């Protein structure tokens, strides 16, 4: 009889413990889901914001470098003109302009093409760096938006108040040429010099 009683108590304890375990699991699944998705939403939005600011930084630095390099090239051309003008005046007097072609032939004067090549390389390098950063940003934003659209994850992100940022404010930077091409469906090519 005591064995039976002991078995009955063990079954009851096991049943109660099983019930408590089930309740704990049922309680923990939503809590863990909420916390996990809240943390994911927070991280995703911080990454989107940081990558967007990084793209702005890359574009800013790229633009400044090109602008400054072009100014150096303009200074070089102006200085070269001054040197030629001064040399012509000194050598040929006030009528130096008549002898300009002779002076240029004698001194083999020409603009240094390496300056243009350097600017071209800076443009290409800057564009490539910006393209890579923007491609990464597009993928990060797409991943977050995809997660917002999932049934389970999206539900918990929404329950946690996400999105907290306006994703429409994080625009993709494009050229007028690209916008027009996608609008019309016709690529007219680029005009390099007007």
């Amino acid at each position: 009889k005591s064995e039976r009683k002991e078995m009955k108590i063990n079954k009851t304890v096991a049943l109660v413990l099983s019930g408590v375990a089930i309740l704990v699991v049922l309680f923990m699944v939503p809590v863990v889901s909420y916390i996990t998705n809240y943390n994911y939403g927070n991280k995703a939005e911080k990454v989107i914001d940081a990558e967007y600011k990084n793209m702005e930084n890359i574009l800013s630095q790229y633009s400044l470098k090109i602008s400054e390099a072009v100014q150096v090239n303009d200074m070089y051309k102006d200085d070269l003109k001054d040197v030629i003008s001064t040399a012509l005046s000194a050598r040929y007097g006030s009528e130096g302009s008549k002898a300009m072609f002779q002076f240029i032939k004698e001194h083999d004067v020409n603009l240094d093409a390496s300056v243009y090549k350097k600017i071209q390389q800076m443009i290409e390098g800057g564009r490539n760096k910006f393209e890579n950063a923007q491609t990464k940003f597009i993928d990060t934003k797409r991943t977050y938006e995809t997660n917002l659209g999932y049934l389970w994850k999206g539900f918990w992100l929404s329950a946690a108040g996400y999105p907290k940022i306006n994703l429409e404010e994080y625009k993709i930077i494009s050229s007028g040429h690209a916008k027009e091409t996608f609008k019309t469906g016709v690529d007219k090519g680029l005009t390099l010099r007007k």
Side-chain angles (χ1 to χ4, degrees):
K1 206 175 187 185
S2 111
E3 238 178 78
R4 243 181 182 192
K5 196 175 184 182
E6 199 173 305
M7 278 177 78
K8 193 175 180 184
I9 291 173
N10 284 345
K11 275 187 179 181
T12 305
V13 168
L15 215 58
V16 168
L17 288 176
S18 295
V20 168
I22 289 171
L23 288 175
V24 166
V25 167
L26 288 176
F27 175 75
M28 289 304 292
V29 166
V31 169
V32 169
S33 292
Y34 178 85
I35 292 170
T36 300
N37 287 291
Y38 182 92
N39 290 340
Y40 167 77
N42 181 56
K43 180 180 177 184
E45 289 191 359
K46 297 299 182 207
V47 170
I48 287 170
D49 191 53
E51 287 183 5
Y52 198 75
K53 287 177 182 170
N54 185 50
M55 287 185 345
E56 184 178 353
N57 178 48
I58 290 169
L59 187 58
S60 172
Q61 293 304 311
Y62 155 74
S63 299
L64 288 172
K65 286 177 185 176
I66 299 301
S67 174
E68 290 166 356
V70 169
Q71 288 177 45
V72 168
N73 189 49
D74 289 344
M75 288 169 45
Y76 174 75
K77 287 191 307 189
D78 291 343
D79 290 347
L80 187 59
K81 285 178 192 174
D82 288 345
V83 167
I84 292 172
S85 178
T86 303
L88 288 172
S89 265
R91 183 163 180 171
Y92 302 107
S94 60
E95 299 294 314
S97 61
K98 292 179 183 175
M100 180 172 74
F101 288 108
Q102 180 183 350
F103 177 86
I104 290 171
K105 274 187 175 182
E106 288 174 2
H107 293 88
D108 193 28
V109 175
N110 54 27
L111 289 173
D112 185 1
S114 68
V115 174
Y116 293 104
K117 189 169 186 145
K118 181 178 179 182
I119 292 171
Q120 180 184 14
Q121 290 168 339
M122 289 171 67
I123 291 170
E124 186 175 344
R127 287 288 184 196
N128 289 341
K129 189 173 182 178
F130 184 75
E131 175 188 10
N132 291 337
Q134 184 156 267
T135 299
K136 183 179 179 205
F137 170 75
I138 290 168
D139 192 49
T140 300
K141 187 177 173 189
R142 177 203 51 82
T143 300
Y144 182 54
E145 290 174 331
T146 301
N147 280 304
L148 287 169
Y150 284 149
L151 180 64
W152 185 256
K153 192 171 207 69
F155 170 78
W156 288 109
L157 283 167
S158 178
Y162 289 100
K164 294 183 181 196
I165 60 175
N166 182 358
L167 292 167
E168 295 300 316
E169 290 178 5
Y170 294 87
K171 298 183 183 330
I172 302 307
I173 309 303
S174 184
S175 68
H177 169 77
K179 292 276 187 204
E180 182 66 24
T181 299
F182 275 82
K183 182 179 174 185
T184 63
V186 177
D187 187 351
K188 297 176 185 172
L190 297 173
T191 304
L192 298 180
R193 185 175 264 184
K194 292 182 181 185

PDB file of all heavy atoms in Angstrom, residues 49-63 130 133-134 173:
ATOM      1  N   ASP A  49      21.257  53.160 -40.484  1.00  0.00           N
ATOM      2  CA  ASP A  49      21.620  54.563 -40.284  1.00  0.00           C
ATOM      3  C   ASP A  49      23.130  54.773 -40.450  1.00  0.00           C
ATOM      4  O   ASP A  49      23.562  55.718 -41.112  1.00  0.00           O
ATOM      5  CB  ASP A  49      21.169  55.029 -38.892  1.00  0.00           C
ATOM      6  CG  ASP A  49      21.273  56.532 -38.742  1.00  0.00           C
ATOM      7  OD1 ASP A  49      20.716  57.261 -39.589  1.00  0.00           O
ATOM      8  OD2 ASP A  49      21.924  56.983 -37.773  1.00  0.00           O
ATOM      9  N   ALA A  50      23.931  53.877 -39.886  1.00  0.00           N
ATOM     10  CA  ALA A  50      25.391  54.011 -39.975  1.00  0.00           C
ATOM     11  C   ALA A  50      25.871  53.852 -41.415  1.00  0.00           C
ATOM     12  O   ALA A  50      26.731  54.618 -41.877  1.00  0.00           O
ATOM     13  CB  ALA A  50      26.070  52.987 -39.073  1.00  0.00           C
ATOM     14  N   GLU A  51      25.330  52.877 -42.134  1.00  0.00           N
ATOM     15  CA  GLU A  51      25.747  52.682 -43.524  1.00  0.00           C
ATOM     16  C   GLU A  51      25.336  53.871 -44.391  1.00  0.00           C
ATOM     17  O   GLU A  51      26.074  54.265 -45.292  1.00  0.00           O
ATOM     18  CB  GLU A  51      25.168  51.382 -44.079  1.00  0.00           C
ATOM     19  CG  GLU A  51      25.862  50.153 -43.519  1.00  0.00           C
ATOM     20  CD  GLU A  51      25.346  48.848 -44.112  1.00  0.00           C
ATOM     21  OE1 GLU A  51      24.507  48.868 -45.039  1.00  0.00           O
ATOM     22  OE2 GLU A  51      25.794  47.793 -43.620  1.00  0.00           O
ATOM     23  N   TYR A  52      24.187  54.452 -44.111  1.00  0.00           N
ATOM     24  CA  TYR A  52      23.730  55.622 -44.877  1.00  0.00           C
ATOM     25  C   TYR A  52      24.659  56.809 -44.626  1.00  0.00           C
ATOM     26  O   TYR A  52      25.050  57.514 -45.562  1.00  0.00           O
ATOM     27  CB  TYR A  52      22.285  55.963 -44.497  1.00  0.00           C
ATOM     28  CG  TYR A  52      21.596  56.840 -45.497  1.00  0.00           C
ATOM     29  CD1 TYR A  52      21.151  56.330 -46.714  1.00  0.00           C
ATOM     30  CD2 TYR A  52      21.370  58.190 -45.237  1.00  0.00           C
ATOM     31  CE1 TYR A  52      20.501  57.136 -47.642  1.00  0.00           C
ATOM     32  CE2 TYR A  52      20.723  58.993 -46.160  1.00  0.00           C
ATOM     33  CZ  TYR A  52      20.302  58.467 -47.355  1.00  0.00           C
ATOM     34  OH  TYR A  52      19.666  59.262 -48.278  1.00  0.00           O
ATOM     35  N   LYS A  53      25.015  57.029 -43.364  1.00  0.00           N
ATOM     36  CA  LYS A  53      25.951  58.116 -43.039  1.00  0.00           C
ATOM     37  C   LYS A  53      27.316  57.856 -43.652  1.00  0.00           C
ATOM     38  O   LYS A  53      27.995  58.784 -44.103  1.00  0.00           O
ATOM     39  CB  LYS A  53      26.063  58.277 -41.523  1.00  0.00           C
ATOM     40  CG  LYS A  53      24.830  58.910 -40.913  1.00  0.00           C
ATOM     41  CD  LYS A  53      24.919  58.988 -39.404  1.00  0.00           C
ATOM     42  CE  LYS A  53      23.635  59.593 -38.838  1.00  0.00           C
ATOM     43  NZ  LYS A  53      23.570  59.480 -37.385  1.00  0.00           N
ATOM     44  N   ASN A  54      27.738  56.596 -43.697  1.00  0.00           N
ATOM     45  CA  ASN A  54      29.015  56.257 -44.310  1.00  0.00           C
ATOM     46  C   ASN A  54      28.990  56.558 -45.810  1.00  0.00           C
ATOM     47  O   ASN A  54      29.972  57.056 -46.361  1.00  0.00           O
ATOM     48  CB  ASN A  54      29.359  54.784 -44.072  1.00  0.00           C
ATOM     49  CG  ASN A  54      30.729  54.437 -44.586  1.00  0.00           C
ATOM     50  OD1 ASN A  54      31.711  55.114 -44.307  1.00  0.00           O
ATOM     51  ND2 ASN A  54      30.803  53.388 -45.376  1.00  0.00           N
ATOM     52  N   MET A  55      27.865  56.276 -46.475  1.00  0.00           N
ATOM     53  CA  MET A  55      27.756  56.608 -47.897  1.00  0.00           C
ATOM     54  C   MET A  55      27.880  58.109 -48.104  1.00  0.00           C
ATOM     55  O   MET A  55      28.539  58.568 -49.041  1.00  0.00           O
ATOM     56  CB  MET A  55      26.415  56.126 -48.466  1.00  0.00           C
ATOM     57  CG  MET A  55      26.324  54.649 -48.650  1.00  0.00           C
ATOM     58  SD  MET A  55      24.804  54.025 -49.444  1.00  0.00           S
ATOM     59  CE  MET A  55      23.651  55.338 -49.390  1.00  0.00           C
ATOM     60  N   GLU A  56      27.253  58.886 -47.228  1.00  0.00           N
ATOM     61  CA  GLU A  56      27.353  60.345 -47.325  1.00  0.00           C
ATOM     62  C   GLU A  56      28.799  60.788 -47.131  1.00  0.00           C
ATOM     63  O   GLU A  56      29.303  61.653 -47.848  1.00  0.00           O
ATOM     64  CB  GLU A  56      26.454  61.006 -46.274  1.00  0.00           C
ATOM     65  CG  GLU A  56      26.438  62.507 -46.376  1.00  0.00           C
ATOM     66  CD  GLU A  56      25.514  63.182 -45.368  1.00  0.00           C
ATOM     67  OE1 GLU A  56      24.761  62.482 -44.655  1.00  0.00           O
ATOM     68  OE2 GLU A  56      25.564  64.416 -45.288  1.00  0.00           O
ATOM     69  N   ASN A  57      29.480  60.172 -46.176  1.00  0.00           N
ATOM     70  CA  ASN A  57      30.887  60.486 -45.925  1.00  0.00           C
ATOM     71  C   ASN A  57      31.744  60.157 -47.147  1.00  0.00           C
ATOM     72  O   ASN A  57      32.581  60.960 -47.555  1.00  0.00           O
ATOM     73  CB  ASN A  57      31.379  59.714 -44.698  1.00  0.00           C
ATOM     74  CG  ASN A  57      32.835  59.966 -44.407  1.00  0.00           C
ATOM     75  OD1 ASN A  57      33.294  61.098 -44.388  1.00  0.00           O
ATOM     76  ND2 ASN A  57      33.575  58.900 -44.192  1.00  0.00           N
ATOM     77  N   ILE A  58      31.534  58.990 -47.737  1.00  0.00           N
ATOM     78  CA  ILE A  58      32.307  58.585 -48.918  1.00  0.00           C
ATOM     79  C   ILE A  58      32.073  59.565 -50.061  1.00  0.00           C
ATOM     80  O   ILE A  58      33.018  60.026 -50.707  1.00  0.00           O
ATOM     81  CB  ILE A  58      31.940  57.148 -49.348  1.00  0.00           C
ATOM     82  CG1 ILE A  58      32.463  56.138 -48.322  1.00  0.00           C
ATOM     83  CG2 ILE A  58      32.480  56.826 -50.739  1.00  0.00           C
ATOM     84  CD1 ILE A  58      31.930  54.734 -48.511  1.00  0.00           C
ATOM     85  N   LEU A  59      30.812  59.901 -50.320  1.00  0.00           N
ATOM     86  CA  LEU A  59      30.494  60.828 -51.408  1.00  0.00           C
ATOM     87  C   LEU A  59      31.079  62.208 -51.143  1.00  0.00           C
ATOM     88  O   LEU A  59      31.624  62.854 -52.041  1.00  0.00           O
ATOM     89  CB  LEU A  59      28.979  60.917 -51.614  1.00  0.00           C
ATOM     90  CG  LEU A  59      28.509  61.721 -52.821  1.00  0.00           C
ATOM     91  CD1 LEU A  59      29.094  61.167 -54.112  1.00  0.00           C
ATOM     92  CD2 LEU A  59      26.990  61.734 -52.893  1.00  0.00           C
ATOM     93  N   SER A  60      31.021  62.646 -49.904  1.00  0.00           N
ATOM     94  CA  SER A  60      31.564  63.952 -49.540  1.00  0.00           C
ATOM     95  C   SER A  60      33.076  63.994 -49.760  1.00  0.00           C
ATOM     96  O   SER A  60      33.599  64.925 -50.381  1.00  0.00           O
ATOM     97  CB  SER A  60      31.236  64.261 -48.077  1.00  0.00           C
ATOM     98  OG  SER A  60      31.902  65.427 -47.660  1.00  0.00           O
ATOM     99  N   GLN A  61      33.777  62.993 -49.250  1.00  0.00           N
ATOM    100  CA  GLN A  61      35.231  62.953 -49.402  1.00  0.00           C
ATOM    101  C   GLN A  61      35.639  62.842 -50.869  1.00  0.00           C
ATOM    102  O   GLN A  61      36.572  63.494 -51.318  1.00  0.00           O
ATOM    103  CB  GLN A  61      35.823  61.787 -48.594  1.00  0.00           C
ATOM    104  CG  GLN A  61      35.685  61.958 -47.101  1.00  0.00           C
ATOM    105  CD  GLN A  61      36.286  63.258 -46.610  1.00  0.00           C
ATOM    106  OE1 GLN A  61      37.418  63.607 -46.937  1.00  0.00           O
ATOM    107  NE2 GLN A  61      35.518  64.003 -45.840  1.00  0.00           N
ATOM    108  N   TYR A  62      34.911  62.010 -51.601  1.00  0.00           N
ATOM    109  CA  TYR A  62      35.183  61.833 -53.019  1.00  0.00           C
ATOM    110  C   TYR A  62      35.001  63.164 -53.759  1.00  0.00           C
ATOM    111  O   TYR A  62      35.872  63.578 -54.525  1.00  0.00           O
ATOM    112  CB  TYR A  62      34.242  60.750 -53.560  1.00  0.00           C
ATOM    113  CG  TYR A  62      33.948  60.816 -55.023  1.00  0.00           C
ATOM    114  CD1 TYR A  62      34.898  60.445 -55.958  1.00  0.00           C
ATOM    115  CD2 TYR A  62      32.711  61.238 -55.484  1.00  0.00           C
ATOM    116  CE1 TYR A  62      34.628  60.500 -57.312  1.00  0.00           C
ATOM    117  CE2 TYR A  62      32.429  61.297 -56.830  1.00  0.00           C
ATOM    118  CZ  TYR A  62      33.394  60.923 -57.743  1.00  0.00           C
ATOM    119  OH  TYR A  62      33.117  60.993 -59.074  1.00  0.00           O
ATOM    120  N   SER A  63      33.902  63.846 -53.489  1.00  0.00           N
ATOM    121  CA  SER A  63      33.622  65.124 -54.158  1.00  0.00           C
ATOM    122  C   SER A  63      34.680  66.169 -53.825  1.00  0.00           C
ATOM    123  O   SER A  63      35.134  66.912 -54.699  1.00  0.00           O
ATOM    124  CB  SER A  63      32.242  65.650 -53.744  1.00  0.00           C
ATOM    125  OG  SER A  63      31.244  64.742 -54.109  1.00  0.00           O
ATOM    126  N   PHE A 130      31.973  54.302 -53.612  1.00  0.00           N
ATOM    127  CA  PHE A 130      30.589  54.684 -53.322  1.00  0.00           C
ATOM    128  C   PHE A 130      29.622  53.591 -53.773  1.00  0.00           C
ATOM    129  O   PHE A 130      28.677  53.252 -53.063  1.00  0.00           O
ATOM    130  CB  PHE A 130      30.240  56.012 -53.995  1.00  0.00           C
ATOM    131  CG  PHE A 130      28.862  56.495 -53.649  1.00  0.00           C
ATOM    132  CD1 PHE A 130      28.603  57.049 -52.412  1.00  0.00           C
ATOM    133  CD2 PHE A 130      27.822  56.370 -54.551  1.00  0.00           C
ATOM    134  CE1 PHE A 130      27.324  57.486 -52.068  1.00  0.00           C
ATOM    135  CE2 PHE A 130      26.546  56.794 -54.222  1.00  0.00           C
ATOM    136  CZ  PHE A 130      26.296  57.352 -52.977  1.00  0.00           C
ATOM    137  N   ALA A 133      29.689  50.739 -51.247  1.00  0.00           N
ATOM    138  CA  ALA A 133      29.000  51.103 -50.000  1.00  0.00           C
ATOM    139  C   ALA A 133      27.495  51.126 -50.210  1.00  0.00           C
ATOM    140  O   ALA A 133      26.730  50.650 -49.357  1.00  0.00           O
ATOM    141  CB  ALA A 133      29.491  52.459 -49.503  1.00  0.00           C
ATOM    142  N   GLN A 134      27.054  51.650 -51.351  1.00  0.00           N
ATOM    143  CA  GLN A 134      25.618  51.725 -51.612  1.00  0.00           C
ATOM    144  C   GLN A 134      25.030  50.333 -51.846  1.00  0.00           C
ATOM    145  O   GLN A 134      23.919  50.040 -51.394  1.00  0.00           O
ATOM    146  CB  GLN A 134      25.324  52.648 -52.790  1.00  0.00           C
ATOM    147  CG  GLN A 134      23.834  52.825 -53.025  1.00  0.00           C
ATOM    148  CD  GLN A 134      23.489  54.096 -53.733  1.00  0.00           C
ATOM    149  OE1 GLN A 134      23.214  55.087 -53.082  1.00  0.00           O
ATOM    150  NE2 GLN A 134      23.493  54.076 -55.047  1.00  0.00           N
ATOM    151  N   ILE A 173      21.030  56.823 -53.883  1.00  0.00           N
ATOM    152  CA  ILE A 173      21.553  57.933 -54.678  1.00  0.00           C
ATOM    153  C   ILE A 173      21.732  57.437 -56.109  1.00  0.00           C
ATOM    154  O   ILE A 173      22.346  56.403 -56.343  1.00  0.00           O
ATOM    155  CB  ILE A 173      22.907  58.428 -54.112  1.00  0.00           C
ATOM    156  CG1 ILE A 173      22.820  58.701 -52.614  1.00  0.00           C
ATOM    157  CG2 ILE A 173      23.407  59.628 -54.891  1.00  0.00           C
ATOM    158  CD1 ILE A 173      21.770  59.685 -52.196  1.00  0.00           C
TER     159      ILE A 173
END
